[in-house]
Structures are given as C-alpha cells and as structure tokens.
C-alpha cells in the first residue's frame, strides 16, 4: 500500500460523479445477511436500508445517513468466495465490460440495470481477481470517505504487476506509477493524476486458497481497538496491527471469512 488517501475526498466530504476508473463502491455477498449486518453495525456503526434486489436480497450500508457500501445475500446453492468487491466508475458499462472481455478478462454478471440506481457488471481480470463496474444514474456510489467506517483504499494482490496492470490500463484508462524497489513489486493506478488504487505483486506468497484478489481498506479511529472488536464479534485477525508510512494497518476477516484491512491514518495516531 502506498497511497491510502488517493481515492478519498476531504474528511467527511461527499463526492460528485466520479471520473471513469475511480473506485466508487464496495460490495459484499454473503450467506448470512442478518448476521453480517450485525457484525458491521457493531464494528463500523453502519445502519442498513434495502437496495436493488435484482441479484437477490441486498442492503445499502449507511453512516450518518450517507451510503458507504453494499451487502447482498448469496443463493443457498451458490458456493462463491465471500469477499469484498470494489466497483470502478464507468460512463458506459456495456463498453467497459466488452473491453474487459477483449483484453482477456471475463464478465460473469451483467451488464444489467440495478433499478434506478445505475447499471453494473461484475467481471474478473485475466488472473482471476473479481471487480465490479458501475455506471451511475440515481446513485453515484460511496457518498463519504475520510472518516472511520468508510473505504480508504483498494489494492490488488496478485502474482506480479506488469501484465495485469496492462489489463486495467486498457479497460479503465489508468496511468501507472511503479514503486522503484529491488524487492517490492508495487505500482499505483492513477486517474487524472490522482492515485486511486494499487497493485501489489506478491509472487508465491499469494494465498493458495484465494488466488489474486482485491483487498479493501477501511478507515478506523483506533486500529488496535478495532482488532479487539473484530475478535469479540466472531471475526479473525489475520495480520496484526503494524505501523506504516500511511498509518497503522492490519488485516482481518469477518465471521463468514470476508477479508479486509483497516487503517488508522497518521492524523488519528496519538502518543
């Protein structure tokens, strides 16, 4: 992770329509919707309201009345990975989805209309990492960032950055900025000169049971306290809190196994 503030607005700020390629939403599909709502309500203070039902029961998570993320329920017969999925903004989801196919990716869901909210698709890059595409209509996506309980950064964990970066650049028009290091394979994806997401090549240390995947970071006020809460609520701490140049970070999993990271920004670290 290099620029965790790249896709966020000012503290508590709301967003206008995003430029194509900008992360604009995160969504989670689970088997136990009610239990998952209870976990994230206790952890992040989210409240919930019904959302589009095209793919089954779905709720929008709210923080102080502002939309933050979505959680849906998987059909009982679907044994899909339980994972947070980032959505990237598009002005034409059908064209973006077709571009993804032509560049070696796959599109597993859509494109389809999500009621009046917008139009969406879910696909995967050539390495298998799943992502979403969002063409906004009535709903622009995550309405506030930069405060605890909101998405702070999205990072692709994959085998190596070079080939998969070409895919995302072709599909979303990103420019890239590599981190120059002999032993650290990392680059940031930029939209209009702003870093909006990262790609981290981790080689053979990639978990065998997951493969390449996107990882969402959520802002928290106190990383260590959050880890204690995760454990108390039935989740798991996968990587303990550590200090980085961008704040105190840790990686956890919710009770159904959805992995995400938390970050306590430097401005929130107290001595």
């Amino acid at each position: 992770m290099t620029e965790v503030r790249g896709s966020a607005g000012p503290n508590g700020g709301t967003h206008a329509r995003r430029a194509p390629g900008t992360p604009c939403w995160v969504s989670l599909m689970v088997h136990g919707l009610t239990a998952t709502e209870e976990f994230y309500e206790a952890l992040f203070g989210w409240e919930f309201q019904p959302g589009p039902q095209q793919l089954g029961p779905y709720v929008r998570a709210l923080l102080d009345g502002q939309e933050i993320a979505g959680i849906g329920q998987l059909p009982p017969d679907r044994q899909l990975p339980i994972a947070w999925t980032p959505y990237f903004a598009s002005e034409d989801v059908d064209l973006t989805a077709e571009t993804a196919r032509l560049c070696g990716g796959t599109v597993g869901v859509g494109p389809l209309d999500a009621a009046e909210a917008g139009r969406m698709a879910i696909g995967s890059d050539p390495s298998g990492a799943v992502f979403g595409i969002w063409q906004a209509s009535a709903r622009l996506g995550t309405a506030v960032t930069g405060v605890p309980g909101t998405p702070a950064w999205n990072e692709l964990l994959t085998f190596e950055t070079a080939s998969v970066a070409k895919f995302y650049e072709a599909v979303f028009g990103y420019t890239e900025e590599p981190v120059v290091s002999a032993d650290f394979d990392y680059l940031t994806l930029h939209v209009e000169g702003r870093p909006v997401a990262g790609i981290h090549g981790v080689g053979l240390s990639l978990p065998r049971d997951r493969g390449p995947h996107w990882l969402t970071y959520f802002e928290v006020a106190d990383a260590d306290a959050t880890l204690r809460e995760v454990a108390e609520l039935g989740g798991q701490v996968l990587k303990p809190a550590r200090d980085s140049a961008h704040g105190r970070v840790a990686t956890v999993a919710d009770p159904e196994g959805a992995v995400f990271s938390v970050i306590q920004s430097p401005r929130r670290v107290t001595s």
Side-chain angles (χ1 to χ4, degrees), residues 10 16 23 59 63 66 71 73 77 95 99 105 118 122 174 186 201 218 250 252 254 257 262 271:
V59 294
L63 193 62
Q66 301 283 343
I71 303 177
Q73 182 166 307
D77 59 340
L95 178 59
T99 303
I122 300 174
Y174 296 126
Y186 196 102
F218 291 94
V252 301
D254 71 17
V262 296
S271 58

Side-chain angles (χ1 to χ4, degrees), residues 3 10 15 18 26 33 114 128 164 185 188 196 199 202 247 254 263 269:
E3 294 285 350
H15 290 271
R18 271 77 164 190
V26 288
L33 183 56
V164 75
D185 183 15
T188 52
V196 297
I199 301 180
V202 297
D254 71 17
I263 178 162
V269 176

Side-chain angles (χ1 to χ4, degrees), residues 121-147:
I122 300 174
S124 57
D125 66 29
S127 72
V130 176
F131 64 93
I133 308 166
W134 181 250
Q135 180 182 338
S137 182
R139 307 281 183 172
L140 298 178
T142 300
V144 60
T145 53
V147 297

